[in-house]
């Protein structure tokens, strides 16, 4: 899992919304869905990373007792 970078994430979202001069409603909706999916992946990866760190901390505390 790559380290989170706010600037890169914003660049990725902005790239998703580059649709051209007159996008259709469907193109706009597809871009919004794609952006939502991207944000969901970021959220889940962040949650997983935090959970793993928390479990490691619990294991270390348990091992030291």
């Amino acid at each position: 899992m790559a380290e989170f970078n706010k600037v890169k994430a914003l660049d990725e979202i902005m790239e998703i919304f580059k649709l051209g001069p007159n996008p259709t409603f469907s193109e706009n909706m597809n871009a919004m869905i794609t952006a939502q999916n991207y944000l969901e992946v970021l959220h889940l990866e962040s949650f997983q990373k935090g959970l793993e760190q928390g479990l490691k901390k619990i294991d270390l505390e348990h091992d030291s007792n």
Side-chain angles (χ1 to χ4, degrees):
M1 185 176 343
E3 195 66 31
F4 178 72
N5 181 318
K6 287 189 256 185
V7 174
K8 182 180 176 194
L10 181 58
D11 287 345
E12 291 287 332
I13 290 173
M14 296 305 293
E15 189 65 34
I16 291 169
F17 282 104
K18 286 186 180 176
L19 300 175
N22 295 312
T24 64
F25 179 76
S26 295
E27 289 171 330
N28 279 322
M29 292 307 297
N30 283 333
M32 291 175 74
I33 291 168
T34 301
Q36 171 65 32
N37 290 341
Y38 177 72
L39 292 172
E40 185 176 343
V41 167
L42 288 179
H43 175 78
L44 292 174
E45 286 179 352
S46 298
F47 179 81
Q48 180 181 1
K49 187 174 181 179
L51 178 63
E52 289 170 356
Q53 289 177 349
L55 290 174
K56 285 179 187 176
K57 183 178 179 181
I58 290 170
D59 286 343
L60 289 174
E61 289 174 358
H62 183 267
D63 290 342
S64 66
N65 289 335

Short mmCIF file of all heavy atoms in Angstrom, two decimals:
data_model
loop_
_atom_site.label_atom_id
_atom_site.label_comp_id
_atom_site.label_asym_id
_atom_site.label_seq_id
_atom_site.Cartn_x
_atom_site.Cartn_y
_atom_site.Cartn_z
N MET A 1 0.85 -1.17 0.00
CA MET A 1 0.00 0.00 0.00
C MET A 1 0.90 1.24 0.00
O MET A 1 1.79 1.38 0.82
CB MET A 1 -0.88 -0.04 1.24
CG MET A 1 -1.88 1.04 1.32
SD MET A 1 -3.03 0.93 2.74
CE MET A 1 -2.86 -0.73 3.31
N ALA A 2 0.67 2.13 -0.95
CA ALA A 2 1.47 3.34 -1.08
C ALA A 2 1.13 4.34 0.02
O ALA A 2 0.03 4.32 0.58
CB ALA A 2 1.23 3.97 -2.44
N GLU A 3 2.09 5.18 0.33
CA GLU A 3 1.87 6.23 1.32
C GLU A 3 0.90 7.26 0.76
O GLU A 3 0.98 7.65 -0.40
CB GLU A 3 3.21 6.90 1.66
CG GLU A 3 3.19 7.74 2.89
CD GLU A 3 2.97 6.95 4.16
OE1 GLU A 3 3.38 5.78 4.24
OE2 GLU A 3 2.37 7.51 5.09
N PHE A 4 -0.05 7.70 1.57
CA PHE A 4 -1.07 8.65 1.12
C PHE A 4 -0.45 10.02 0.87
O PHE A 4 0.34 10.51 1.66
CB PHE A 4 -2.19 8.76 2.15
CG PHE A 4 -3.24 9.76 1.76
CD1 PHE A 4 -4.13 9.48 0.73
CD2 PHE A 4 -3.34 10.98 2.39
CE1 PHE A 4 -5.10 10.39 0.36
CE2 PHE A 4 -4.31 11.90 2.03
CZ PHE A 4 -5.18 11.60 1.01
N ASN A 5 -0.83 10.63 -0.23
CA ASN A 5 -0.35 11.96 -0.59
C ASN A 5 -1.56 12.77 -1.03
O ASN A 5 -2.19 12.45 -2.04
CB ASN A 5 0.68 11.84 -1.71
CG ASN A 5 1.25 13.17 -2.13
OD1 ASN A 5 0.53 14.16 -2.25
ND2 ASN A 5 2.55 13.19 -2.38
N LYS A 6 -1.90 13.83 -0.28
CA LYS A 6 -3.09 14.63 -0.58
C LYS A 6 -3.02 15.26 -1.96
O LYS A 6 -4.02 15.29 -2.67
CB LYS A 6 -3.27 15.74 0.46
CG LYS A 6 -3.75 15.26 1.80
CD LYS A 6 -4.09 16.46 2.66
CE LYS A 6 -3.02 16.67 3.68
NZ LYS A 6 -3.30 17.73 4.63
N VAL A 7 -1.86 15.75 -2.34
CA VAL A 7 -1.73 16.41 -3.64
C VAL A 7 -1.96 15.41 -4.77
O VAL A 7 -2.69 15.69 -5.73
CB VAL A 7 -0.34 17.08 -3.77
CG1 VAL A 7 -0.13 17.64 -5.16
CG2 VAL A 7 -0.18 18.17 -2.72
N LYS A 8 -1.37 14.23 -4.64
CA LYS A 8 -1.55 13.20 -5.67
C LYS A 8 -3.02 12.77 -5.74
O LYS A 8 -3.57 12.57 -6.83
CB LYS A 8 -0.67 12.00 -5.38
CG LYS A 8 -0.79 10.92 -6.44
CD LYS A 8 0.08 9.73 -6.15
CE LYS A 8 -0.18 8.67 -7.21
NZ LYS A 8 0.34 7.38 -6.88
N ALA A 9 -3.66 12.64 -4.60
CA ALA A 9 -5.07 12.23 -4.58
C ALA A 9 -5.94 13.27 -5.27
O ALA A 9 -6.82 12.93 -6.07
CB ALA A 9 -5.54 12.01 -3.14
N LEU A 10 -5.69 14.55 -4.99
CA LEU A 10 -6.46 15.61 -5.65
C LEU A 10 -6.19 15.61 -7.15
O LEU A 10 -7.12 15.76 -7.96
CB LEU A 10 -6.11 16.97 -5.05
CG LEU A 10 -6.86 18.16 -5.63
CD1 LEU A 10 -8.38 17.99 -5.47
CD2 LEU A 10 -6.40 19.45 -4.99
N ASP A 11 -4.94 15.41 -7.55
CA ASP A 11 -4.61 15.33 -8.98
C ASP A 11 -5.36 14.18 -9.65
O ASP A 11 -5.85 14.32 -10.77
CB ASP A 11 -3.10 15.15 -9.19
CG ASP A 11 -2.31 16.41 -8.90
OD1 ASP A 11 -2.92 17.50 -8.81
OD2 ASP A 11 -1.07 16.30 -8.76
N GLU A 12 -5.45 13.05 -8.97
CA GLU A 12 -6.17 11.89 -9.53
C GLU A 12 -7.65 12.20 -9.71
O GLU A 12 -8.24 11.88 -10.73
CB GLU A 12 -6.01 10.68 -8.61
CG GLU A 12 -4.62 10.10 -8.56
CD GLU A 12 -4.24 9.35 -9.83
OE1 GLU A 12 -5.13 8.82 -10.52
OE2 GLU A 12 -3.03 9.32 -10.14
N ILE A 13 -8.24 12.86 -8.72
CA ILE A 13 -9.66 13.20 -8.81
C ILE A 13 -9.89 14.22 -9.93
O ILE A 13 -10.84 14.11 -10.71
CB ILE A 13 -10.19 13.71 -7.47
CG1 ILE A 13 -10.24 12.55 -6.48
CG2 ILE A 13 -11.58 14.34 -7.62
CD1 ILE A 13 -10.58 12.93 -5.07
N MET A 14 -9.01 15.22 -10.03
CA MET A 14 -9.15 16.22 -11.09
C MET A 14 -9.01 15.57 -12.47
O MET A 14 -9.70 15.95 -13.42
CB MET A 14 -8.13 17.34 -10.92
CG MET A 14 -8.32 18.15 -9.64
SD MET A 14 -9.98 18.86 -9.47
CE MET A 14 -9.96 20.03 -10.80
N GLU A 15 -8.13 14.59 -12.59
CA GLU A 15 -7.95 13.88 -13.87
C GLU A 15 -9.23 13.13 -14.25
O GLU A 15 -9.59 13.08 -15.42
CB GLU A 15 -6.77 12.92 -13.76
CG GLU A 15 -6.35 12.30 -15.07
CD GLU A 15 -5.81 13.31 -16.08
OE1 GLU A 15 -5.17 14.29 -15.68
OE2 GLU A 15 -6.05 13.09 -17.27
N ILE A 16 -9.91 12.57 -13.26
CA ILE A 16 -11.16 11.86 -13.52
C ILE A 16 -12.20 12.80 -14.13
O ILE A 16 -12.97 12.40 -15.00
CB ILE A 16 -11.70 11.23 -12.21
CG1 ILE A 16 -10.78 10.09 -11.77
CG2 ILE A 16 -13.14 10.76 -12.37
CD1 ILE A 16 -11.07 9.57 -10.36
N PHE A 17 -12.20 14.06 -13.71
CA PHE A 17 -13.22 15.01 -14.16
C PHE A 17 -12.84 15.78 -15.43
O PHE A 17 -13.56 16.69 -15.82
CB PHE A 17 -13.58 15.99 -13.04
CG PHE A 17 -14.49 15.38 -12.02
CD1 PHE A 17 -14.01 14.99 -10.79
CD2 PHE A 17 -15.83 15.18 -12.30
CE1 PHE A 17 -14.85 14.41 -9.85
CE2 PHE A 17 -16.68 14.60 -11.37
CZ PHE A 17 -16.19 14.22 -10.15
N LYS A 18 -11.73 15.43 -16.06
CA LYS A 18 -11.40 16.06 -17.35
C LYS A 18 -12.23 15.37 -18.43
O LYS A 18 -11.87 14.31 -18.93
CB LYS A 18 -9.91 15.92 -17.65
CG LYS A 18 -9.05 16.83 -16.81
CD LYS A 18 -7.61 16.77 -17.25
CE LYS A 18 -6.77 17.69 -16.39
NZ LYS A 18 -5.35 17.60 -16.72
N LEU A 19 -13.34 16.00 -18.78
CA LEU A 19 -14.30 15.36 -19.68
C LEU A 19 -14.41 16.02 -21.05
O LEU A 19 -15.08 15.50 -21.92
CB LEU A 19 -15.69 15.36 -19.02
CG LEU A 19 -15.80 14.64 -17.69
CD1 LEU A 19 -17.19 14.83 -17.11
CD2 LEU A 19 -15.50 13.17 -17.86
N GLY A 20 -13.82 17.14 -21.24
CA GLY A 20 -13.97 17.84 -22.51
C GLY A 20 -14.91 19.01 -22.36
O GLY A 20 -15.47 19.27 -21.29
N PRO A 21 -15.14 19.75 -23.45
CA PRO A 21 -15.89 21.00 -23.36
C PRO A 21 -17.39 20.85 -23.06
O PRO A 21 -17.95 21.66 -22.34
CB PRO A 21 -15.68 21.65 -24.73
CG PRO A 21 -15.30 20.53 -25.63
CD PRO A 21 -14.62 19.50 -24.78
N ASN A 22 -18.04 19.85 -23.60
CA ASN A 22 -19.49 19.70 -23.41
C ASN A 22 -19.85 18.26 -23.04
O ASN A 22 -20.45 17.53 -23.84
CB ASN A 22 -20.25 20.10 -24.69
CG ASN A 22 -20.08 21.56 -25.00
OD1 ASN A 22 -20.25 22.39 -24.12
ND2 ASN A 22 -19.76 21.87 -26.24
N PRO A 23 -19.52 17.85 -21.82
CA PRO A 23 -19.81 16.47 -21.45
C PRO A 23 -21.32 16.24 -21.30
O PRO A 23 -22.07 17.14 -20.94
CB PRO A 23 -19.11 16.30 -20.11
CG PRO A 23 -19.01 17.67 -19.57
CD PRO A 23 -18.90 18.59 -20.74
N THR A 24 -21.72 15.03 -21.61
CA THR A 24 -23.14 14.67 -21.44
C THR A 24 -23.41 14.40 -19.97
O THR A 24 -22.49 14.26 -19.16
CB THR A 24 -23.47 13.41 -22.25
OG1 THR A 24 -22.72 12.31 -21.72
CG2 THR A 24 -23.17 13.58 -23.73
N PHE A 25 -24.67 14.30 -19.64
CA PHE A 25 -25.06 13.97 -18.28
C PHE A 25 -24.47 12.62 -17.87
O PHE A 25 -23.95 12.46 -16.77
CB PHE A 25 -26.59 13.94 -18.16
CG PHE A 25 -27.07 13.59 -16.79
CD1 PHE A 25 -27.02 14.52 -15.76
CD2 PHE A 25 -27.56 12.32 -16.52
CE1 PHE A 25 -27.46 14.20 -14.49
CE2 PHE A 25 -28.00 11.99 -15.25
CZ PHE A 25 -27.95 12.93 -14.23
N SER A 26 -24.53 11.65 -18.78
CA SER A 26 -23.99 10.31 -18.49
C SER A 26 -22.49 10.36 -18.24
O SER A 26 -21.99 9.68 -17.33
CB SER A 26 -24.27 9.36 -19.65
OG SER A 26 -25.65 9.15 -19.79
N GLU A 27 -21.76 11.15 -19.00
CA GLU A 27 -20.32 11.28 -18.79
C GLU A 27 -20.03 11.90 -17.43
O GLU A 27 -19.11 11.46 -16.73
CB GLU A 27 -19.70 12.11 -19.91
CG GLU A 27 -19.68 11.40 -21.25
CD GLU A 27 -19.26 12.31 -22.40
OE1 GLU A 27 -19.51 13.53 -22.34
OE2 GLU A 27 -18.66 11.76 -23.35
N ASN A 28 -20.80 12.92 -17.07
CA ASN A 28 -20.64 13.53 -15.75
C ASN A 28 -20.92 12.53 -14.64
O ASN A 28 -20.18 12.45 -13.66
CB ASN A 28 -21.57 14.74 -15.59
CG ASN A 28 -21.02 15.98 -16.24
OD1 ASN A 28 -19.83 16.23 -16.19
ND2 ASN A 28 -21.90 16.76 -16.84
N MET A 29 -21.99 11.78 -14.77
CA MET A 29 -22.35 10.79 -13.75
C MET A 29 -21.30 9.70 -13.65
O MET A 29 -20.94 9.27 -12.56
CB MET A 29 -23.73 10.20 -14.04
CG MET A 29 -24.86 11.19 -13.87
SD MET A 29 -24.87 12.03 -12.26
CE MET A 29 -25.14 10.65 -11.17
N ASN A 30 -20.80 9.24 -14.79
CA ASN A 30 -19.75 8.21 -14.76
C ASN A 30 -18.49 8.74 -14.09
O ASN A 30 -17.83 8.01 -13.33
CB ASN A 30 -19.43 7.73 -16.18
CG ASN A 30 -20.48 6.78 -16.71
OD1 ASN A 30 -21.16 6.10 -15.95
ND2 ASN A 30 -20.63 6.75 -18.02
N ALA A 31 -18.14 10.00 -14.34
CA ALA A 31 -16.98 10.60 -13.68
C ALA A 31 -17.20 10.68 -12.17
O ALA A 31 -16.29 10.40 -11.38
CB ALA A 31 -16.70 11.98 -14.26
N MET A 32 -18.40 11.05 -11.77
CA MET A 32 -18.71 11.14 -10.34
C MET A 32 -18.63 9.77 -9.68
O MET A 32 -18.11 9.64 -8.56
CB MET A 32 -20.08 11.77 -10.13
CG MET A 32 -20.10 13.25 -10.50
SD MET A 32 -21.73 13.98 -10.41
CE MET A 32 -21.94 14.11 -8.65
N ILE A 33 -19.12 8.76 -10.34
CA ILE A 33 -19.07 7.39 -9.80
C ILE A 33 -17.61 6.92 -9.70
O ILE A 33 -17.20 6.33 -8.70
CB ILE A 33 -19.91 6.43 -10.66
CG1 ILE A 33 -21.40 6.76 -10.48
CG2 ILE A 33 -19.63 4.97 -10.32
CD1 ILE A 33 -22.31 6.07 -11.49
N THR A 34 -16.83 7.22 -10.73
CA THR A 34 -15.41 6.84 -10.72
C THR A 34 -14.68 7.54 -9.58
O THR A 34 -13.87 6.93 -8.86
CB THR A 34 -14.76 7.18 -12.07
OG1 THR A 34 -15.45 6.48 -13.11
CG2 THR A 34 -13.30 6.80 -12.10
N ALA A 35 -14.96 8.83 -9.39
CA ALA A 35 -14.34 9.57 -8.29
C ALA A 35 -14.76 9.00 -6.94
O ALA A 35 -13.94 8.88 -6.03
CB ALA A 35 -14.70 11.06 -8.39
N GLN A 36 -16.04 8.66 -6.80
CA GLN A 36 -16.54 8.06 -5.56
C GLN A 36 -15.82 6.74 -5.28
O GLN A 36 -15.41 6.48 -4.15
CB GLN A 36 -18.04 7.84 -5.64
CG GLN A 36 -18.62 7.03 -4.50
CD GLN A 36 -18.51 7.72 -3.16
OE1 GLN A 36 -18.55 8.94 -3.09
NE2 GLN A 36 -18.35 6.96 -2.11
N ASN A 37 -15.64 5.94 -6.30
CA ASN A 37 -14.94 4.67 -6.14
C ASN A 37 -13.49 4.89 -5.72
O ASN A 37 -12.96 4.17 -4.87
CB ASN A 37 -15.00 3.85 -7.42
CG ASN A 37 -16.38 3.33 -7.71
OD1 ASN A 37 -17.24 3.26 -6.83
ND2 ASN A 37 -16.64 2.98 -8.95
N TYR A 38 -12.85 5.90 -6.31
CA TYR A 38 -11.47 6.23 -5.95
C TYR A 38 -11.38 6.65 -4.49
O TYR A 38 -10.51 6.20 -3.75
CB TYR A 38 -10.94 7.33 -6.88
CG TYR A 38 -9.55 7.79 -6.53
CD1 TYR A 38 -8.45 6.98 -6.78
CD2 TYR A 38 -9.33 9.04 -5.97
CE1 TYR A 38 -7.17 7.39 -6.46
CE2 TYR A 38 -8.05 9.47 -5.65
CZ TYR A 38 -6.98 8.64 -5.89
OH TYR A 38 -5.71 9.05 -5.56
N LEU A 39 -12.30 7.52 -4.06
CA LEU A 39 -12.31 7.95 -2.67
C LEU A 39 -12.59 6.79 -1.71
O LEU A 39 -12.01 6.73 -0.62
CB LEU A 39 -13.34 9.06 -2.47
CG LEU A 39 -13.01 10.39 -3.15
CD1 LEU A 39 -14.20 11.34 -3.05
CD2 LEU A 39 -11.77 11.01 -2.55
N GLU A 40 -13.43 5.87 -2.13
CA GLU A 40 -13.73 4.70 -1.30
C GLU A 40 -12.48 3.85 -1.13
O GLU A 40 -12.19 3.37 -0.02
CB GLU A 40 -14.85 3.89 -1.92
CG GLU A 40 -15.29 2.73 -1.06
CD GLU A 40 -16.49 1.99 -1.65
OE1 GLU A 40 -17.18 2.53 -2.53
OE2 GLU A 40 -16.73 0.85 -1.21
N VAL A 41 -11.72 3.67 -2.20
CA VAL A 41 -10.48 2.89 -2.11
C VAL A 41 -9.50 3.57 -1.15
O VAL A 41 -8.89 2.91 -0.30
CB VAL A 41 -9.85 2.71 -3.51
CG1 VAL A 41 -8.42 2.20 -3.41
CG2 VAL A 41 -10.69 1.76 -4.34
N LEU A 42 -9.38 4.90 -1.27
CA LEU A 42 -8.50 5.63 -0.34
C LEU A 42 -8.94 5.43 1.10
O LEU A 42 -8.11 5.20 1.99
CB LEU A 42 -8.50 7.13 -0.67
CG LEU A 42 -7.79 7.57 -1.93
CD1 LEU A 42 -7.92 9.09 -2.09
CD2 LEU A 42 -6.33 7.17 -1.92
N HIS A 43 -10.24 5.52 1.33
CA HIS A 43 -10.77 5.36 2.69
C HIS A 43 -10.48 3.96 3.22
O HIS A 43 -10.01 3.81 4.36
CB HIS A 43 -12.27 5.63 2.68
CG HIS A 43 -12.93 5.37 3.98
ND1 HIS A 43 -12.86 6.25 5.03
CD2 HIS A 43 -13.66 4.31 4.42
CE1 HIS A 43 -13.52 5.74 6.07
NE2 HIS A 43 -14.01 4.57 5.72
N LEU A 44 -10.76 2.95 2.42
CA LEU A 44 -10.56 1.57 2.88
C LEU A 44 -9.08 1.27 3.12
O LEU A 44 -8.73 0.60 4.09
CB LEU A 44 -11.15 0.59 1.86
CG LEU A 44 -12.68 0.61 1.76
CD1 LEU A 44 -13.15 -0.29 0.63
CD2 LEU A 44 -13.33 0.22 3.07
N GLU A 45 -8.20 1.78 2.24
CA GLU A 45 -6.77 1.57 2.45
C GLU A 45 -6.29 2.25 3.72
O GLU A 45 -5.49 1.70 4.47
CB GLU A 45 -5.98 2.08 1.24
CG GLU A 45 -6.10 1.18 0.02
CD GLU A 45 -5.33 1.71 -1.18
OE1 GLU A 45 -4.82 2.85 -1.14
OE2 GLU A 45 -5.25 0.96 -2.17
N SER A 46 -6.79 3.46 3.97
CA SER A 46 -6.42 4.18 5.20
C SER A 46 -6.92 3.45 6.43
O SER A 46 -6.20 3.32 7.43
CB SER A 46 -6.99 5.59 5.17
OG SER A 46 -6.46 6.32 4.11
N PHE A 47 -8.16 2.97 6.38
CA PHE A 47 -8.71 2.22 7.51
C PHE A 47 -7.89 0.96 7.76
O PHE A 47 -7.56 0.65 8.91
CB PHE A 47 -10.17 1.85 7.22
CG PHE A 47 -10.81 1.07 8.33
CD1 PHE A 47 -11.31 1.71 9.45
CD2 PHE A 47 -10.90 -0.32 8.26
CE1 PHE A 47 -11.88 0.99 10.49
CE2 PHE A 47 -11.48 -1.05 9.29
CZ PHE A 47 -11.97 -0.39 10.41
N GLN A 48 -7.56 0.25 6.69
CA GLN A 48 -6.78 -0.98 6.83
C GLN A 48 -5.42 -0.69 7.45
O GLN A 48 -4.97 -1.40 8.35
CB GLN A 48 -6.60 -1.66 5.48
CG GLN A 48 -5.80 -2.94 5.56
CD GLN A 48 -5.61 -3.60 4.19
OE1 GLN A 48 -6.07 -3.07 3.18
NE2 GLN A 48 -4.94 -4.70 4.17
N LYS A 49 -4.77 0.37 6.99
CA LYS A 49 -3.45 0.72 7.52
C LYS A 49 -3.55 1.07 9.00
O LYS A 49 -2.72 0.61 9.80
CB LYS A 49 -2.89 1.90 6.73
CG LYS A 49 -1.47 2.24 7.08
CD LYS A 49 -0.93 3.33 6.18
CE LYS A 49 0.49 3.65 6.51
NZ LYS A 49 1.03 4.69 5.63
N GLY A 50 -4.56 1.84 9.38
CA GLY A 50 -4.75 2.19 10.79
C GLY A 50 -5.05 0.97 11.64
O GLY A 50 -4.55 0.83 12.75
N LEU A 51 -5.88 0.08 11.11
CA LEU A 51 -6.22 -1.15 11.83
C LEU A 51 -4.98 -2.00 12.05
O LEU A 51 -4.75 -2.51 13.16
CB LEU A 51 -7.29 -1.93 11.07
CG LEU A 51 -7.73 -3.25 11.67
CD1 LEU A 51 -8.38 -3.03 13.04
CD2 LEU A 51 -8.69 -3.98 10.75
N GLU A 52 -4.16 -2.15 11.01
CA GLU A 52 -2.95 -2.94 11.14
C GLU A 52 -2.00 -2.35 12.18
O GLU A 52 -1.42 -3.07 12.98
CB GLU A 52 -2.25 -3.06 9.78
CG GLU A 52 -2.99 -3.95 8.81
CD GLU A 52 -2.45 -3.88 7.39
OE1 GLU A 52 -1.53 -3.06 7.13
OE2 GLU A 52 -2.95 -4.62 6.54
N GLN A 53 -1.86 -1.02 12.18
CA GLN A 53 -1.00 -0.38 13.17
C GLN A 53 -1.55 -0.57 14.58
O GLN A 53 -0.80 -0.80 15.52
CB GLN A 53 -0.84 1.11 12.85
CG GLN A 53 0.00 1.37 11.63
CD GLN A 53 0.09 2.84 11.27
OE1 GLN A 53 -0.65 3.66 11.80
NE2 GLN A 53 0.97 3.17 10.35
N GLY A 54 -2.87 -0.46 14.72
CA GLY A 54 -3.49 -0.66 16.02
C GLY A 54 -3.31 -2.08 16.54
O GLY A 54 -3.03 -2.29 17.71
N LEU A 55 -3.45 -3.05 15.64
CA LEU A 55 -3.27 -4.45 16.04
C LEU A 55 -1.83 -4.72 16.43
O LEU A 55 -1.57 -5.46 17.38
CB LEU A 55 -3.72 -5.38 14.91
CG LEU A 55 -5.23 -5.42 14.65
CD1 LEU A 55 -5.54 -6.27 13.43
CD2 LEU A 55 -5.99 -5.92 15.87
N LYS A 56 -0.87 -4.13 15.71
CA LYS A 56 0.54 -4.29 16.07
C LYS A 56 0.80 -3.71 17.46
O LYS A 56 1.52 -4.30 18.26
CB LYS A 56 1.44 -3.60 15.04
CG LYS A 56 1.55 -4.35 13.74
CD LYS A 56 2.44 -3.60 12.77
CE LYS A 56 2.42 -4.26 11.41
NZ LYS A 56 3.20 -3.49 10.42
N LYS A 57 0.20 -2.54 17.75
CA LYS A 57 0.38 -1.91 19.06
C LYS A 57 -0.20 -2.79 20.16
O LYS A 57 0.42 -2.97 21.21
CB LYS A 57 -0.29 -0.54 19.08
CG LYS A 57 -0.09 0.21 20.36
CD LYS A 57 -0.72 1.58 20.33
CE LYS A 57 -0.52 2.30 21.65
NZ LYS A 57 -1.14 3.62 21.65
N ILE A 58 -1.38 -3.36 19.92
CA ILE A 58 -1.99 -4.26 20.89
C ILE A 58 -1.11 -5.48 21.12
O ILE A 58 -0.89 -5.89 22.27
CB ILE A 58 -3.40 -4.67 20.43
CG1 ILE A 58 -4.35 -3.48 20.51
CG2 ILE A 58 -3.93 -5.85 21.28
CD1 ILE A 58 -5.70 -3.72 19.86
N ASP A 59 -0.57 -6.05 20.03
CA ASP A 59 0.31 -7.21 20.15
C ASP A 59 1.55 -6.86 20.97
O ASP A 59 1.99 -7.64 21.81
CB ASP A 59 0.72 -7.73 18.77
CG ASP A 59 -0.40 -8.47 18.08
OD1 ASP A 59 -1.39 -8.88 18.76
OD2 ASP A 59 -0.32 -8.65 16.84
N LEU A 60 2.15 -5.66 20.71
CA LEU A 60 3.34 -5.27 21.45
C LEU A 60 3.03 -5.08 22.93
O LEU A 60 3.81 -5.50 23.79
CB LEU A 60 3.90 -3.98 20.86
CG LEU A 60 4.56 -4.08 19.50
CD1 LEU A 60 4.95 -2.69 18.98
CD2 LEU A 60 5.78 -4.98 19.55
N GLU A 61 1.89 -4.47 23.23
CA GLU A 61 1.50 -4.27 24.63
C GLU A 61 1.22 -5.60 25.31
O GLU A 61 1.57 -5.82 26.45
CB GLU A 61 0.29 -3.36 24.71
CG GLU A 61 0.57 -1.91 24.36
CD GLU A 61 -0.66 -1.04 24.30
OE1 GLU A 61 -1.79 -1.59 24.50
OE2 GLU A 61 -0.52 0.16 24.08
N HIS A 62 0.59 -6.51 24.57
CA HIS A 62 0.28 -7.83 25.13
C HIS A 62 1.56 -8.63 25.37
O HIS A 62 1.68 -9.31 26.40
CB HIS A 62 -0.65 -8.59 24.16
CG HIS A 62 -1.07 -9.92 24.70
ND1 HIS A 62 -0.40 -11.08 24.42
CD2 HIS A 62 -2.12 -10.26 25.50
CE1 HIS A 62 -1.01 -12.09 25.03
NE2 HIS A 62 -2.05 -11.61 25.69
N ASP A 63 2.52 -8.54 24.45
CA ASP A 63 3.78 -9.27 24.59
C ASP A 63 4.62 -8.73 25.76
O ASP A 63 5.35 -9.48 26.39
CB ASP A 63 4.59 -9.21 23.31
CG ASP A 63 3.95 -10.04 22.19
OD1 ASP A 63 3.10 -10.90 22.50
OD2 ASP A 63 4.31 -9.81 21.02
N SER A 64 4.50 -7.42 26.04
CA SER A 64 5.32 -6.85 27.12
C SER A 64 4.73 -7.14 28.50
O SER A 64 5.41 -6.96 29.50
CB SER A 64 5.46 -5.33 26.91
OG SER A 64 4.21 -4.68 27.07
N ASN A 65 3.49 -7.59 28.56
CA ASN A 65 2.86 -7.90 29.86
C ASN A 65 3.14 -9.29 30.26
O ASN A 65 3.54 -10.16 30.31
CB ASN A 65 1.35 -7.70 29.81
CG ASN A 65 1.01 -6.21 29.73
OD1 ASN A 65 1.78 -5.38 30.15
ND2 ASN A 65 -0.13 -5.93 29.16
#
